[in-house]
């Protein structure tokens, strides 16, 4: 796609990008520390991801593949717009597949598909200061960070338990990064907090309104704050996706009719779709309720279904994940190898969802 | 005689054109309550903030001997250490409880804050300690989870005491703890401070313009005027037989005592 001549590559001027990169380098060197950066006005309102967009703009190059998710979905307004923005301003290749992406800009989720080395997560952060909710004075919070005094984070958790009987903070749950800085992981659900810990990917957080950048470098320990007698629990809600049957992914509640009917579906649309594709390939067409729930965009890059094996059918679609050997049910283990579908998401590594090494 | 836990020497501070504090020296002994009296603008609160390390003096030293016997010159130690002392071994009770409390955090949370800052990581123990201290300052147990913004003035003053005492400090700095409270509430709070001081061997510097409060609580007294200590000594002696002209004026101005 032709890049408009009136703007530089990826919208920002080279000098602006250099300054953002400088902030990013400092942030990577000081995990969890909020580095100020000269934020620019972006052609969108604050709160729509101006911080994340500036980080992405200063990172993206011609060889990058960009994925943008909002509420876990690739097909929501914000995600579609930001993707279109970088297609237009940087001619960037875009994808919805987690494993193919080199840069993933996100608002609310970390993808279910495990991240790999070399991938960069870019978060759109509304409030970068984890102590803000209890200490409104910015000078004081900076002093608290400098001195590593984080009793206030526990005070917040204390208040939560007093009011709700448990730690009710379900998103933006504060973490300790590399044992030094308390950090707000932006509004990701606390379900995703453990994914930050020792993640092989680089995580960059950009707050546009407050002009702060902070980072979790690869393989950095990230611990969620908690009490001895109220340990951190990632999972709040147990359930199963109504579409793909996953029991391990983060679910969104979707109202499906006017009679109060609702279903729970994976919030990570790419993950759900790839599982459905794998399930369909494994001969589970009846278990894939395509007509039910919300529609997926038709033009999504679902890999063509390979030769399905009827024997591999399982009662629980969740089994299609096949990431645990021998749990495939009767007859499932053997054929699993033969029917192993490698969604495009996994083509690069040559691993199918049904691990061939099990055979 | 025991060693003083606080030795203040030659403290001076200029605030703009005003010499808010000049050449003030005194000692504070364990379990002793020292009153600082004087009219508004005489430098009482400035002196308290200098001693607590909240203001940097132009000259002079504040030597605090900690629980392990180490001596710290409060204005010159690193900020991290000063802050740690101020939330563990020392306490500061503000004139307006809104400055010393988090008004939207529950009373229990306010008390627990210093314990959590000190590394307590058990919710149950933090809550138990908060409940204990609430009872000690004679606040109803049912108000443990109510935020101070729903408290009356007298209750806030008590809560601020509890918050500061939760870490069993060795000395507290009280800045007009009874200001703005009605007389019966004042009396009960002063009584509470005296009881706690006796029970825990707590030393205190009480800044007040209320001579009755000073007489009731303190063993020794410093009278300030224009930033200087014009007279100091045993409270009863100074108030009954003042030698400095200003102290005589102050004592004779007390309503109903002339």
């Amino acid at each position: 796609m032709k890049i408009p001549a009136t703007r530089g590559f990826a919208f920002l001027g080279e000098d602006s990008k250099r300054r953002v990169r400088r902030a990013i380098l400092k942030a990577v060197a000081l995990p969890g520390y909020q580095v100020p950066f000269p934020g620019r006005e972006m052609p969108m309102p604050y709160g729509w991801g101006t911080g994340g967009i500036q980080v992405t703009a200063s990172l993206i190059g011609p060889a990058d593949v960009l994925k943008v998710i909002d509420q876990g979905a690739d097909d929501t307004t914000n995600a579609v717009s930001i993707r279109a923005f970088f297609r237009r301003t940087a001619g960037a290749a875009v994808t919805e597949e987690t494993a193919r992406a080199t840069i993933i800009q996100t608002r609310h989720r970390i993808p279910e598909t495990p991240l790999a080395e070399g991938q960069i997560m870019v978060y759109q952060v509304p409030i970068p200061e984890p102590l803000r909710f209890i200490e409104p004075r910015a000078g004081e919070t900076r002093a608290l960070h400098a001195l590593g005094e984080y009793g206030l984070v526990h005070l917040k958790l204390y208040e939560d338990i007093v009011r709700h009987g448990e730690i009710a903070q379900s998103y933006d749950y504060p973490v300790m990064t590399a044992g030094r800085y308390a950090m707000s992981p932006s509004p990701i659900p606390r379900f995703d907090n453990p994914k930050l810990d020792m993640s092989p990917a680089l995580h960059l957080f950009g707050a546009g309104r407050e002009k702060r950048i902070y980072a979790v470098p690869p393989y950095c320990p990230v611990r969620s704050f908690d009490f001895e007698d109220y340990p951190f629990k990632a999972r709040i809600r147990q359930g199963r996706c109504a579409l793909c049957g996953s029991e391990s992914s983060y679910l969104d509640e979707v109202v499906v009719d006017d009679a109060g009917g609702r279903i729970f579906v994976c919030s990570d649309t790419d993950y759900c779709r790839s599982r459905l594709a794998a399930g369909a390939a494994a001969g589970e067409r009846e278990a894939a309720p395509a007509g039910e729930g919300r529609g997926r965009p038709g033009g999504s890059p679902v890999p063509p279904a390979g030769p399905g094996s009827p024997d591999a059918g399982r009662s629980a679609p969740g089994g299609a994940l096949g990431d645990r050997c021998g749990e495939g049910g009767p007859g499932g283990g053997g054929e699993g190898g033969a029917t192993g579908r490698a969604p495009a998401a996994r083509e690069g590594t040559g691993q199918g969802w049904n691990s061939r090494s099990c055979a | 005689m025991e060693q003083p836990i606080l030795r203040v020497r030659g403290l001076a501070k200029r605030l703009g054109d005003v010499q808010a504090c000049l050449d003030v020296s005194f000692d504070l002994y364990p379990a002793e309550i020292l009153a600082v009296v004087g009219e508004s603008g005489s430098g009482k609160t400035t002196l308290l903030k200098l001693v607590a390390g909240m203001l940097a003096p132009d000259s002079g030293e504040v030597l605090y001997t900690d629980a392990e016997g180490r001596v710290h010159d409060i204005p010159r130690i690193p900020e991290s250490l000063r802050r740690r002392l101020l939330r563990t071994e020392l306490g500061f009770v503000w004139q307006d409880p809104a400055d010393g409390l988090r008004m939207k955090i529950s009373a229990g949370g306010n008390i627990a804050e210093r314990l959590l800052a000190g590394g307590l990581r058990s919710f149950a123990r933090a809550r138990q300690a908060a409940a204990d201290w609430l009872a000690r300052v004679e606040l109803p147990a049912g108000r443990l989870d109510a935020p101070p913004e729903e408290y009356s003035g007298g209750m806030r003053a008590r809560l601020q005491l509890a918050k500061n005492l939760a870490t069993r400090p060795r000395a507290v700095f009280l800045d007009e703890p009874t200001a703005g409270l009605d007389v019966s509430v004042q009396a009960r709070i002063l009584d509470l401070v005296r009881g706690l001081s006796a029970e825990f061997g707590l030393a205190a510097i009480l800044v007040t313009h209320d001579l009755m409060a000073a007489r009731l609580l303190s063993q020794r007294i410093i009278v300030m005027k224009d930033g200087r200590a014009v007279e100091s000594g045993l409270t009863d002696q100074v108030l009954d037989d003042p030698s400095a002209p200003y102290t005589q004026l102050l004592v004779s101005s007390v309503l109903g005592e002339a």
Side-chain angles (χ1 to χ4, degrees):
Chain A
M1 185 173 283
K2 189 176 179 302
I3 300 165
T6 50
R7 289 278 176 187
F9 182 80
F11 189 79
L12 285 179
E14 288 308 310
D15 189 54
S16 299
K17 284 192 279 192
R18 200 169 298 129
R19 285 160 185 243
V20 175
R21 286 181 203 130
R22 230 174 258 153
I24 291 173
L25 286 176
K26 184 168 177 182
V28 170
L30 293 167
Y33 175 74
Q34 299 165 47
V35 183
F37 77 103
R40 294 283 180 258
E41 293 292 326
M42 298 304 285
M44 61 198 298
Y46 288 124
W48 286 41
T50 53
I53 272 207
Q54 289 179 78
V55 171
T56 302
S58 57
L59 293 174
I60 201 164
D64 275 310
V65 182
L66 179 69
K67 171 182 163 81
V68 184
I69 46 182
D70 182 23
Q71 300 284 6
D74 296 275
D75 52 7
T76 47
T77 310
N78 205 6
V80 170
S81 308
I82 292 175
R83 224 164 33 225
F85 176 80
F86 282 113
R87 283 232 319 263
R88 244 185 68 198
T89 59
V94 295
T95 183
E96 298 190 3
E97 291 162 41
T98 301
R100 267 195 62 209
T102 55
I103 299 175
I104 302 172
Q105 184 171 332
T106 181
R107 168 81 189 219
H108 305 93
R109 289 300 317 280
I110 298 175
E112 306 288 358
T113 309
L115 299 170
E117 280 183 18
Q119 288 186 308
I120 301 177
M121 290 286 298
V122 177
Y123 298 76
Q124 306 164 197
V125 179
I127 300 172
E129 178 51 70
L131 305 170
R132 178 70 40 82
F133 43 76
I134 233 152
E135 177 53 75
R137 294 169 295 180
E140 176 69 7
T141 57
R142 278 199 286 274
L144 292 172
H145 281 297
L147 301 171
E149 294 178 3
Y150 291 131
L152 288 187
V153 180
H154 283 97
L155 181 56
K156 170 71 168 84
L157 301 182
Y158 173 97
E159 285 295 287
D160 249 22
I161 300 171
V162 163
R163 283 186 200 166
H164 307 288
E166 59 177 350
I167 299 175
Q169 182 93 17
S170 59
Y171 65 95
D172 204 4
Y173 190 107
V175 293
M176 177 62 105
T177 309
R180 176 59 185 88
Y181 285 106
M183 188 189 94
S184 154
S186 117
I188 61 169
R190 74 186 196 193
F191 176 87
D192 284 341
N193 273 17
K195 294 179 190 165
L196 284 170
D197 186 33
M198 301 305 280
S199 165
L202 168 64
H203 300 261
L204 299 173
F205 300 77
R209 196 194 311 261
E210 306 211 13
K211 299 178 174 44
R212 293 287 186 277
I213 287 173
Y214 50 101
V216 176
Y219 300 107
C220 174
V222 174
R223 205 177 52 75
S224 300
F225 281 86
D226 61 0
F227 280 112
E228 292 160 4
D229 39 356
Y230 284 83
F232 173 77
K233 278 193 291 244
R235 201 158 246 282
I236 302 169
R237 186 163 64 196
Q238 300 287 345
R240 155 186 298 212
C241 172
L243 299 180
C244 74
S246 169
E247 291 179 345
S248 63
S249 89
Y250 189 76
L251 302 178
D252 280 343
E253 186 176 4
V254 180
V255 176
V256 290
D257 55 31
D258 289 341
R262 56 215 181 135
I263 56 170
F264 288 92
V265 296
C266 291
S267 96
D268 184 339
T269 50
D270 167 61
Y271 174 76
C272 196
R273 187 162 43 233
S274 61
R275 280 172 47 80
L276 281 174
E284 286 204 40
R285 286 173 193 89
E286 73 286 349
E292 186 187 337
R294 58 184 173 174
R296 303 291 189 200
S300 56
V302 174
S309 163
D311 295 345
R314 290 154 195 162
S315 56
L321 186 55
D323 54 355
R324 291 181 297 268
C325 299
E327 287 190 13
E335 277 91 2
T339 61
R341 287 284 57 45
R346 287 299 172 120
E347 268 169 2
T349 60
Q351 288 177 336
W353 289 104
N354 296 333
S355 171
R356 270 158 222 173
S357 61
C358 292
Chain B
M1 184 101 192
E2 279 179 286
Q3 289 298 305
I5 60 171
L6 203 61
R7 275 173 296 157
V8 174
R9 292 291 176 268
L11 221 45
K13 177 73 178 176
R14 252 192 118 70
L15 294 174
D17 293 336
V18 181
Q19 188 70 46
C21 187
L22 186 63
D23 199 23
V24 177
S25 303
F26 62 88
D27 290 337
L28 181 70
Y29 289 88
E32 178 190 40
I33 298 181
L34 173 72
V36 179
V37 299
E39 61 192 10
S40 295
S42 60
K44 306 187 297 285
T45 299
T46 302
L47 173 64
L48 202 63
K49 286 186 173 172
L50 288 171
V51 171
M54 292 172 177
L55 274 178
D58 297 335
S59 62
E61 47 191 22
V62 179
L63 300 170
Y64 169 70
T65 308
D66 71 11
E68 273 97 58
R70 285 179 306 236
V71 178
H72 307 279
D73 186 7
I74 297 281
R76 286 167 194 87
I77 54 178
E79 194 189 349
S80 57
L81 176 58
R82 186 160 57 232
R83 290 171 67 114
R84 189 160 71 239
L85 287 175
L86 212 53
R87 62 162 197 263
T88 52
E89 298 191 7
L90 303 173
F92 195 97
V93 175
W94 295 80
Q95 179 168 358
D96 181 357
D99 292 333
L101 295 171
R102 297 186 188 277
M103 297 305 276
K104 293 187 185 303
I105 298 292
S106 71
N110 268 288
I111 300 173
E113 180 180 342
R114 282 167 68 115
L115 300 170
L116 297 174
L120 180 63
R121 292 293 172 260
S122 156
F123 171 80
R125 292 224 307 280
R127 191 169 169 75
Q128 187 56 49
D132 289 349
W133 276 104
L134 206 69
R136 275 223 177 93
V137 296
E138 297 163 20
L139 286 170
R143 301 300 291 275
L144 182 62
D145 297 335
E149 62 183 359
E150 295 173 10
Y151 274 30
S152 70
M155 291 170 72
R156 288 177 191 179
R158 286 158 191 277
L159 180 59
Q160 205 191 175
L161 271 179
K163 173 186 181 136
N164 276 283
L165 296 176
T167 48
R168 298 283 181 106
R170 302 172 68 229
V172 289
F173 308 122
L174 306 158
D175 187 10
E176 307 259 12
T178 57
L181 302 177
D182 66 59
V183 181
S184 64
V185 177
Q186 279 189 25
R188 283 176 61 193
I189 287 178
L190 294 176
D191 198 42
L192 185 66
V193 171
R194 186 167 52 187
L196 292 167
S197 168
E199 188 179 349
F200 301 118
L202 175 74
I205 299 178
L206 170 74
V207 161
T208 180
H209 58 254
D210 182 353
L211 294 185
M212 285 311 292
R215 192 191 281 274
L216 208 63
L217 272 185
S218 67
Q219 288 90 43
R220 285 192 309 130
I221 194 167
I222 295 175
V223 182
M224 287 194 73
K225 179 172 174 23
D226 300 333
R228 293 163 186 272
V230 293
E231 188 165 0
S232 62
L234 297 174
T235 303
D236 289 341
Q237 205 172 350
V238 170
L239 292 184
D240 288 342
D241 188 14
S243 63
Y246 175 71
T247 317
Q248 291 170 1
L249 180 72
L250 203 64
V251 170
S252 66
S253 331
V254 174
L255 292 176
E257 268 207 355

